[in-house]
Amino acid sequence: MIDDPLGYTGRQVVVTGAASGMGAATAAILAGLGATVVALDVKAIDGPAETKLQVDLRDPASIDRVVKAIDGPVQAVFSVAGLPGAPFSDLDTVLVNFVGARHLVEALVPQMPDSGAVVCVGSTAGMGWQQEIYDLLPFVQTDGFESGRAWCEAHPERLQVPYMFSKKALNAWVAWRAASLLRQNGIRLNCSNPGPTDTAMMPAFEAQVGAAMIDAYVGPGGRRSTAEEQAWPLVFVNSPRASFIAGESFQVDNGFMAALLTNQLA
């Protein structure tokens, strides 16, 4: 019999987007597993956490203040916060979903020990990023928040579908950054790509494209996931038990991508 099977007891973890949805579910699971949870969100956080801090991922000064308030070491970071696009601006969506998320992760790296782990939440909306990798690299390789924002402001045409673009960029960044982060710092970096999930953001997605379009991505299982079903894979991949998983963009989509690739979607 194994006590603490995922190895989180006594480990400090940072979770963004912890006020609702996948972030709240992730923080609650981690607290139940014995982790010391630092919960971050722009909104008030009601769930279990040792520390609750407000952060605006559109503002690098806000991110830097929060990082300074976190006493290390930080063994794992869960980058879950995100915006759905409309009603938010194109720029704000990309800043929160990628530029600010990246800035927070990079700012926490000095507080992370060897064998630390980071997982970012992408989306099946970002599928196809591999075919666009060389177009995405100039953006994902920008040096810091201000350079990332400047790139966005100089290329507004790339932000016309901001949610999709931001998730493609996130996957591309994980693929590009994972090797150097592991080689230089011993930190594993991965990306989860959820299928449609019932969270507080879902009404915004349905308003943009309609419920029928969302449900076209549910996969052969025929339903949307819960926030908890997305949180558990995040918790596993950042645990010490997944110590050989790095640089991966993995699907949590109830078989959607497999069915798409083999022409088995209904």
Side-chain angles (χ1 to χ4, degrees):
M1 187 170 182
I2 301 175
D3 292 329
D4 186 22
L6 290 181
Y8 276 106
T9 299
R11 296 169 71 86
Q12 181 166 240
V13 301
V14 173
V15 182
T16 72
S20 64
M22 296 179 201
T26 300
I29 290 169
L30 290 164
L33 291 172
T36 300
V37 178
V38 179
L40 309 182
D41 206 298
V42 71
K43 298 178 180 178
I45 300 165
D46 295 327
E50 188 78 13
T51 304
K52 302 175 183 180
L53 300 172
Q54 185 178 39
V55 65
D56 186 343
L57 292 177
R58 299 168 296 183
D59 179 4
S62 175
I63 297 169
D64 293 341
R65 282 194 299 271
V66 162
V67 169
K68 288 181 181 178
I70 299 172
D71 294 327
V74 173
Q75 279 82 16
V77 178
F78 297 80
S79 182
V80 187
L83 294 179
F88 302 94
S89 74
D90 295 352
L91 179 59
D92 281 352
T93 299
V94 179
L95 290 181
V96 170
N97 292 2
F98 175 66
V99 180
R102 178 186 65 174
H103 186 76
L104 177 67
V105 169
E106 296 287 10
L108 285 169
V109 164
Q111 298 190 47
M112 299 185 70
D114 184 277
S115 77
V118 178
V119 64
C120 303
V121 174
S123 171
T124 52
M127 66 181 181
W129 64 270
Q130 297 93 333
Q131 288 72 42
E132 300 179 33
I133 184 68
Y134 293 108
D135 291 330
L136 292 164
L137 282 177
F139 175 44
V140 304
Q141 291 175 336
T142 52
D143 185 17
F145 191 100
E146 296 303 337
S147 293
R149 176 160 54 191
W151 190 97
C152 291
E153 291 170 344
H155 299 83
E157 73 284 357
R158 299 296 301 276
L159 277 60
Q160 290 179 358
V161 188
Y163 184 80
M164 181 182 296
F165 175 73
S166 68
K167 297 305 184 179
K168 288 182 178 181
L170 191 63
N171 276 276
W173 176 69
V174 167
W176 172 72
R177 184 70 171 102
S180 60
L181 198 58
L182 186 60
R183 185 179 297 118
Q184 297 167 10
N185 304 92
I187 296 170
R188 297 183 298 109
L189 175 64
N190 291 287
C191 186
S192 166
N193 289 295
T197 303
D198 282 325
T199 68
M201 291 206 304
M202 184 53 71
F205 292 132
E206 291 183 341
Q208 292 174 40
V209 301
M213 178 62 74
I214 299 297
D215 286 338
Y217 288 78
V218 298
R223 67 175 179 85
R224 301 173 183 180
S225 76
T226 67
E228 289 75 15
E229 287 175 312
Q230 296 296 332
W232 274 108
L234 302 177
V235 170
F236 172 72
V237 81
N238 260 6
S239 77
R241 309 310 178 211
S243 58
F244 215 62
I245 300 175
E248 296 296 334
S249 290
F250 58 96
Q251 303 301 124
V252 190
D253 61 5
N254 207 20
F256 168 78
M257 188 63 70
L260 176 66
L261 292 173
T262 57
N263 196 29
Q264 296 186 76
L265 288 178

